[in-house]
Amino acid sequence: MSFELRKSLSYRFKFYLSAFLWISPVVILSACAHKDTTQYAPLTYDYLTPIFLNVGQISIQDHSNANQYPRNISNLSPTPPAMALNNMVNNRLKARGTSGKAIFTISRASLQENNDDAVYGQIDIRLDIYNNNNRKVGSIQVSTNHTYQTDHNKGDLDSRANLYDITQKMMQDVNVELEYQIRNHLEPWIVDATGTPISDSIKTQDLNDKASSTAVKHDMSPPDHRTIAPATNKPSASNADLNAVFPDGIPNNESAAPPVHDTQPVSSTKGKYPVGVLGTLPQSAISKKY
């Protein structure tokens, strides 16, 4: 190889190497600039009303990784659906019994690429109640599946922002449906925070309310129109007073005046207006029929 050729190749190599060294930092910085570094809050549900169950313990069986789904992107979510379900059980389902158990099974919790701008999400869960003899005595199932359109303003289809929002929406549906199923199909196992069955507390409350309501009696009797004699300072004319005026005897036409009574009844509002639990209604609120 001639000296001139070697020199030409050397110049070319140095040129390409120099260009690569200049371009590489720009490419690396550009990639870093598009990487989502947002810190997303874990999806927890302790702000929702807890559900107390009359069991001794509650356990979780997660089988969501047993099956591999095509184009599965669940692990790219800041809080994968399976993790959100675990948080939901720990935050909302509370054991308040002394025996028996509840098993919460996660059969599926996945996010899959559906097309260029949509994600298909599916969750299948089951809650089983077992008595002290390990016999299943109650069970419910909850499933949700939906195709979610992604927001291009939040990045690509599999961006962390889009997957975080989709997981939130899925969990909202699951929370609503789970509580509905428990309260409608597992009511005998629902207790309050002290372990008292809800059905018993409702019956006790109904009896107490009935007793208190029967003790309150409203006076709905008609108005009192009896004649009431008003007090008066005017003395009545008696025979003794007339004897003092007529020493020789009372004339026949001057007999003692009978006591004077005012026959005009005293106005009374008793029973005149409708009476409710807050007392007599004000005049402005009374219908013309009263």
Side-chain angles (χ1 to χ4, degrees):
M1 182 181 296
S2 65
F3 176 76
E4 289 78 6
L5 182 59
R6 289 199 302 269
K7 188 174 181 180
S8 175
L9 292 175
S10 176
Y11 283 142
R12 289 181 181 180
F13 175 76
K14 291 180 180 179
F15 173 79
Y16 289 126
L17 179 61
S18 177
F20 175 78
L21 293 177
W22 276 101
I23 295 174
S24 295
V26 176
V27 174
I28 295 173
L29 290 175
S30 177
C32 293
H34 288 84
K35 183 179 180 180
D36 186 1
T37 59
T38 304
Q39 296 296 323
Y40 295 91
L43 296 179
T44 57
Y45 306 95
D46 49 3
Y47 62 92
L48 296 174
T49 303
I51 302 174
F52 303 101
L53 299 176
N54 189 15
V55 294
Q57 61 178 345
I58 300 174
S59 60
I60 302 174
Q61 294 183 358
D62 188 355
H63 302 309
S64 59
N65 293 325
N67 297 317
Q68 297 297 323
Y69 303 104
R71 307 179 71 180
N72 188 9
I73 53 177
S74 303
N75 61 324
L76 299 180
S77 176
T79 302
M83 182 184 296
L85 289 169
N86 277 266
N87 294 342
M88 180 190 69
V89 174
N90 293 326
N91 293 153
R92 299 205 63 193
L93 301 185
K94 306 294 182 181
R96 286 296 184 271
T98 57
S99 62
K101 63 183 179 180
I103 299 179
F104 186 91
T105 303
I106 305 174
S107 301
R108 178 168 178 170
S110 63
L111 298 173
Q112 298 172 253
E113 291 185 30
N114 193 30
N115 51 43
D116 292 339
D117 61 350
V119 173
Y120 176 75
Q122 181 171 346
I123 288 178
D124 298 323
I125 56 177
R126 188 177 73 251
L127 180 63
D128 300 315
I129 306 293
Y130 294 84
N131 63 12
N132 200 33
N133 297 323
N134 204 32
R135 183 171 67 90
K136 185 188 295 187
V137 291
S139 179
I140 61 169
Q141 293 184 357
V142 174
S143 296
T144 180
N145 58 84
H146 191 72
T147 299
Y148 300 89
Q149 299 297 321
T150 55
D151 186 353
H152 294 292
N153 294 326
K154 296 182 179 180
D156 296 333
L157 175 144
D158 59 352
S159 68
R160 299 174 76 241
N162 275 318
L163 297 181
Y164 184 78
D165 288 347
I166 293 172
T167 305
Q168 275 188 315
K169 293 175 182 177
M170 292 178 64
M171 290 304 300
Q172 288 175 358
D173 295 340
V174 170
N175 267 290
V176 172
E177 184 64 20
L178 176 66
E179 181 165 351
Y180 174 83
Q181 293 293 336
I182 290 177
R183 297 195 182 280
N184 283 273
H185 300 289
L186 297 180
E187 182 183 5
W189 290 273
I190 301 178
V191 296
D192 60 18
T194 64
T196 304
I198 294 295
S199 57
D200 291 346
S201 64
I202 292 175
K203 293 178 181 178
T204 304
Q205 182 66 30
D206 290 343
L207 292 174
N208 291 337
D209 291 345
K210 184 176 181 181
S212 62
S213 62
T214 54
V216 178
K217 295 182 179 180
H218 302 299
D219 186 3
M220 300 299 290
S221 59
D224 188 359
H225 294 298
R226 290 176 300 173
T227 300
I228 302 175
T232 177
N233 294 327
K234 180 181 179 179
S236 61
S238 63
N239 289 337
D241 296 333
L242 293 176
N243 288 334
V245 177
F246 303 99
D248 296 332
I250 302 173
N252 292 333
N253 60 348
E254 297 291 343
S255 60
V260 178
H261 297 288
D262 189 354
T263 59
Q264 182 66 26
V266 176
S267 176
S268 173
T269 60
K270 181 180 180 182
K272 184 176 180 181
Y273 305 132
V275 179
V277 294
L278 299 180
T280 303
L281 295 173
Q283 184 69 32
S284 60
I286 299 170
S287 175
K288 294 181 179 180
K289 67 179 181 179
Y290 293 104

